[in-house]
Amino acid sequence: MTPLDPDTTFVLGAQDPEMREIERVVSDAGLVCLHAAVAGRRCTPQTAYEADGVVRVGSGGIARQAMLRPTVPAVWVECRIVGREPRVRVDHHHPGDPGYTAAPEHYLQGSSLGQVLALLGREPTETQRLLAASDHCLTAAYQGQCPGVDPHELLFLRASWKAHIMQRTLTDVMAGILDAADRVRRQRDGVSGESRFLDPTRVPADLPEGAAYAGVPVRYRAWMPDGTVKEMFKGGTPEAIEAFLAEHRAAGREVYGNPYRGYGGAYWPA
C-alpha cells in the first residue's frame, strides 16, 4: 500500500472503544487527528454524517475550534463533512463503504480500525483484533467466526468497558450479560429463531450483549430521549435483516442498518 502523505489529517467520527483506539494509533504514527463537529461540538452517532466542521478534542473532553485546510489530504473515519471530499474514506456502515460487505472472517478488512491499521502499514495486536471484530460483527465474533479472536477474551474486554462506562462492577455486568443470554435462549421462537422483547419497559439492561453472546437473533425496542421508539434487530441473517428493513420502510419509518453485519433499526414517531 502506498505510504500516506505525512501531512495527512484523520477526521474522526463519534467516540466509542474502536474510535478511541483509532485515535491512539494514528497519533502514535505522528499524524494529526481532528474530530467531525456540528456547530462547534463533536459529532454524535446521529450527526456524524452531517458535520459542518472540525474540532480538536483535548484533555477533559474539551473541544476547541480547528480548521481543515482544503489542500491537506484527509481521511474520513465514520463521518462526513458537508461540502468536502476526503482522499480516503474509512467506514463500514453504508453501501459503497470499503468494509460494508465484509464477512466475519474478513473482519479486519471490514472494520474501521482494521482499515486504518492497513493504511498505516501496521499489524493488529490481539486487543485490536478484539476491538475490530466486536465493532464489525459482534455476534459472529462471540460464536468464534473471526480468526484470531477468542470469545472469552472478547467477553472480558467488553464487560470491563461497560463496567467502566456505566460505573457498575465487573461482576454485575458479567452477571447481567449471562442472565440476558439465558433469557434470550429461553424466549427463542422455534419458527423464526428469534427472541423478541418489544415492550421497552421490560428489556433487560444487557440484552444486546447477552443475545450476541448467546448467538440468538433478537428484536427489541427502546425509548429515545425525544419520545420516539427505536426498534432494533441484531444478530439476524442478511435475508432477515433485509426483510426487517423492508417492512419498516414500507410503513414509512426511517430505517438504518447493514444486512452483511447483521443489524438493523427503525424509528417509530413519537
Side-chain angles (χ1 to χ4, degrees), residues 126-168:
E126 181 180 342
T127 298
Q128 288 168 345
R129 286 182 177 275
L130 293 172
L131 289 169
S134 67
D135 189 79
H136 186 67
C137 48
L138 180 60
T139 300
Y142 270 135
Q143 308 316 306
Q145 297 176 28
C146 297
V149 174
D150 184 321
H152 301 293
E153 292 291 337
L154 180 63
L155 176 61
F156 180 77
L157 177 78
R158 290 183 60 84
S160 298
W161 173 258
K162 284 179 177 288
H164 172 69
I165 293 299
M166 302 173 72
Q167 297 186 325
R168 296 163 60 188

Side-chain angles (χ1 to χ4, degrees), residues 18 40 52 74 90 104 146 150 165 185 203 206 215 230 256 262:
E18 186 191 36
D52 56 16
V90 169
C146 297
D150 184 321
I165 293 299
R185 291 188 188 103
V203 173
D206 298 294
K230 183 165 72 168
Y256 68 90

Side-chain angles (χ1 to χ4, degrees), residues 148-256:
V149 174
D150 184 321
H152 301 293
E153 292 291 337
L154 180 63
L155 176 61
F156 180 77
L157 177 78
R158 290 183 60 84
S160 298
W161 173 258
K162 284 179 177 288
H164 172 69
I165 293 299
M166 302 173 72
Q167 297 186 325
R168 296 163 60 188
T169 66
L170 179 58
T171 300
D172 179 57
V173 173
M174 290 288 282
I177 293 171
L178 296 177
D179 177 68
D182 182 60
R183 289 183 63 177
V184 298
R185 291 188 188 103
R186 286 188 280 109
Q187 290 194 209
R188 187 172 189 170
D189 179 76
V191 177
S192 68
E194 302 168 10
S195 184
R196 299 188 178 188
F197 296 79
L198 300 183
D199 181 348
T201 66
R202 304 185 66 181
V203 173
D206 298 294
L207 177 65
E209 199 75 28
Y213 182 72
V216 176
V218 63
R219 296 194 194 208
Y220 64 102
R221 293 174 183 164
W223 292 108
M224 304 303 290
D226 62 358
T228 61
V229 172
K230 183 165 72 168
E231 182 172 334
M232 289 154 281
F233 184 21
K234 297 183 177 180
T237 64
E239 296 76 17
I241 299 296
E242 288 280 16
F244 171 87
L245 296 174
E247 172 190 341
H248 286 283
R249 195 179 290 115
R253 303 184 187 108
E254 179 187 353
V255 301
Y256 68 90

Side-chain angles (χ1 to χ4, degrees), residues 59-148:
S59 59
I62 298 174
R64 294 179 173 83
Q65 289 287 349
M67 183 179 70
L68 184 65
R69 300 196 312 274
T71 57
V72 168
V75 178
W76 284 184
V77 183
E78 298 187 4
C79 65
R80 183 175 294 116
I81 298 179
V82 177
R84 294 287 301 269
E85 284 299 321
R87 178 73 58 84
V88 178
R89 189 183 304 281
V90 169
D91 214 328
H92 56 167
H93 288 91
H94 307 101
D97 287 342
Y100 184 76
T101 61
E105 60 267 30
H106 301 303
Y107 66 95
L108 284 172
Q109 296 95 317
S111 68
S112 293
L113 175 56
Q115 292 171 46
V116 168
L117 290 171
L119 285 173
L120 298 176
R122 297 192 174 192
E123 290 297 317
T125 65
E126 181 180 342
T127 298
Q128 288 168 345
R129 286 182 177 275
L130 293 172
L131 289 169
S134 67
D135 189 79
H136 186 67
C137 48
L138 180 60
T139 300
Y142 270 135
Q143 308 316 306
Q145 297 176 28
C146 297

Side-chain angles (χ1 to χ4, degrees), residues 4-12 22-35 54-57 66-69 72-77 116 120:
L4 290 175
D5 187 300
D7 291 329
T8 297
T9 295
F10 281 71
V11 180
L12 310 183
I22 288 172
E23 181 167 5
R24 189 191 70 79
V25 298
V26 170
S27 298
D28 185 59
L31 297 174
V32 174
C33 276
L34 298 177
H35 306 87
V54 294
V55 294
R56 189 187 300 272
V57 180
M67 183 179 70
L68 184 65
R69 300 196 312 274
V72 168
V75 178
W76 284 184
V77 183
V116 168
L120 298 176

